[in-house]
């Protein structure tokens, strides 16, 4: 399901593209021009926004819901690259000629998002300030990727999981994390049964609290961070 979106998003009550970091500060008429070109889409849990090796021809702005970016290794094991949620933007590789997505984007929940084709974006936006913002954001994403790689270098499973939960806490709003054991396992390269056992230990230590079937409230972010340090 898709449609051209209105200037004001009915769900968020504000301009849908104002959460795109590299568009911050643009004149209102520019944002309105982009809004008129964006496509509003809704997809069900379990469906794919795009598959691995899909050409990168658009920017995706998540309004509501959660999206998992993942790929599979030679043995068929899933490797999660990242979890995107409300107001996040998927745009990696968007400005590289011939780029394809090295992962698929699967909806972990029902997802409401906007799709802005690069050809429309490039036609509307010419400001050099945008290029500087993109360079800065790419630097930040590289820093985040290095942080995730450092997590995987932690040998002790509980410390690695604590570091991952601390990473999520610092990259989302609020202290509630909702992820299945399989998704956490694929993110930190551990077996689901190991994840379950170590989460129970973290709960007994008062660092987290289980909420529902797949939710965790982070009670002590500083404690998680300290546990993850070598």
């Amino acid at each position: 399901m898709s449609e051209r979106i209105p200037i004001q998003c009915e769900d968020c009550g504000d301009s849908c593209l104002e959460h795109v970091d590299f568009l911050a500060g643009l004149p209102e008429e520019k944002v309105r021009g982009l809004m008129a070109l964006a496509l509003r889409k809704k997809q069900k849990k379990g469906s794919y926004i795009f598959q691995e090796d899909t050409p990168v021809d658009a920017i995706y702005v998540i309004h509501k819901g959660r999206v998992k970016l993942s790929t599979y290794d030679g043995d068929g094991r899933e490797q999660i690259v990242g979890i995107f949620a409300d107001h996040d933007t998927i745009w990696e590789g968007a400005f590289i000629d011939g780029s394809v997505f090295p992962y698929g984007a699967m909806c972990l929940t029902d997802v409401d998002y906007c799709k802005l084709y690069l050809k429309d974006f490039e036609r509307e936006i010419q400001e050099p300030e945008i290029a500087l913002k993109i360079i800065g954001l790419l630097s930040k994403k590289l820093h985040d990727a290095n942080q995730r790689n450092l997590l995987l270098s932690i040998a002790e499973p509980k410390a690695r999981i604590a570091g991952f939960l601390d990473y999520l806490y610092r990259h989302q709003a609020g202290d509630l994390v909702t992820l299945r054991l399989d998704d956490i396992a694929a993110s930190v390269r551990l077996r689901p049964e190991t994840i379950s056992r170590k989460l129970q230990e973290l709960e007994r230590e008062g660092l987290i609290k289980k909420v529902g079937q797949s939710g965790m409230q982070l009670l002590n972010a500083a404690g998680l961070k300290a546990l993850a340090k070598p």
Side-chain angles (χ1 to χ4, degrees), residues 78-81 181-190:
E78 184 182 31
Q79 298 182 350
I80 294 180
V81 179
L181 289 181
D182 287 348
D183 290 330
I184 298 176
S187 296
V188 297
R189 313 291 196 267
L190 293 170

Side-chain angles (χ1 to χ4, degrees), residues 95-162:
F95 305 104
I96 302 174
D97 289 342
S99 180
V100 299
F101 286 111
Y103 39 67
M106 191 188 81
C107 300
L108 293 174
T109 64
D110 290 352
V111 175
D112 184 359
Y113 67 98
C114 282
K115 180 177 182 178
L116 177 63
Y117 284 102
L118 291 176
K119 58 182 177 61
D120 294 330
F121 178 85
E122 292 169 353
R123 184 172 62 247
E124 289 291 316
I125 300 299
Q126 302 294 330
E127 283 78 359
E129 292 85 357
I130 298 297
L132 293 176
K133 289 182 180 180
I134 290 173
I135 291 172
L137 289 169
L138 286 174
S139 177
K140 181 178 181 297
K141 284 184 175 292
L142 178 60
H143 177 69
D144 287 346
N146 289 336
Q147 284 186 306
R148 292 195 299 270
N149 288 333
L150 284 174
L151 284 177
L152 297 180
S153 70
I154 299 174
E156 207 286 311
K158 185 166 69 172
R160 188 186 302 182
I161 295 167

Side-chain angles (χ1 to χ4, degrees), residues 47-212:
S47 64
Y48 277 83
I49 293 177
F50 55 79
Q51 299 277 359
E52 187 172 345
D53 294 327
T54 298
V56 180
D57 65 351
I59 296 169
Y60 300 86
V61 184
I62 310 300
H63 297 305
K64 287 187 177 181
R66 292 185 297 123
V67 177
K68 172 176 68 176
L69 304 185
S70 65
T71 185
Y72 292 85
D73 64 18
D75 295 323
R77 292 187 295 261
E78 184 182 31
Q79 298 182 350
I80 294 180
V81 179
I83 305 291
F84 285 64
D86 299 8
H87 309 317
D88 284 337
T89 305
I90 304 173
W91 59 280
E92 288 84 345
F95 305 104
I96 302 174
D97 289 342
S99 180
V100 299
F101 286 111
Y103 39 67
M106 191 188 81
C107 300
L108 293 174
T109 64
D110 290 352
V111 175
D112 184 359
Y113 67 98
C114 282
K115 180 177 182 178
L116 177 63
Y117 284 102
L118 291 176
K119 58 182 177 61
D120 294 330
F121 178 85
E122 292 169 353
R123 184 172 62 247
E124 289 291 316
I125 300 299
Q126 302 294 330
E127 283 78 359
E129 292 85 357
I130 298 297
L132 293 176
K133 289 182 180 180
I134 290 173
I135 291 172
L137 289 169
L138 286 174
S139 177
K140 181 178 181 297
K141 284 184 175 292
L142 178 60
H143 177 69
D144 287 346
N146 289 336
Q147 284 186 306
R148 292 195 299 270
N149 288 333
L150 284 174
L151 284 177
L152 297 180
S153 70
I154 299 174
E156 207 286 311
K158 185 166 69 172
R160 188 186 302 182
I161 295 167
F164 177 67
L165 294 177
D166 174 61
Y167 174 85
L168 291 179
Y169 175 76
R170 290 183 287 107
H171 288 78
Q172 68 174 31
D175 58 5
L176 184 64
V177 172
T178 305
L179 278 179
R180 297 184 305 117
L181 289 181
D182 287 348
D183 290 330
I184 298 176
S187 296
V188 297
R189 313 291 196 267
L190 293 170
R191 295 191 302 272
E193 54 268 28
T194 301
I195 301 294
S196 178
R197 187 170 61 253
K198 296 304 176 181
L199 288 178
Q200 290 174 12
E201 292 180 15
L202 292 173
E203 185 169 24
R204 286 196 296 269
E205 293 169 12
L207 297 175
I208 66 172
K209 178 182 178 181
K210 186 173 176 58
V211 179

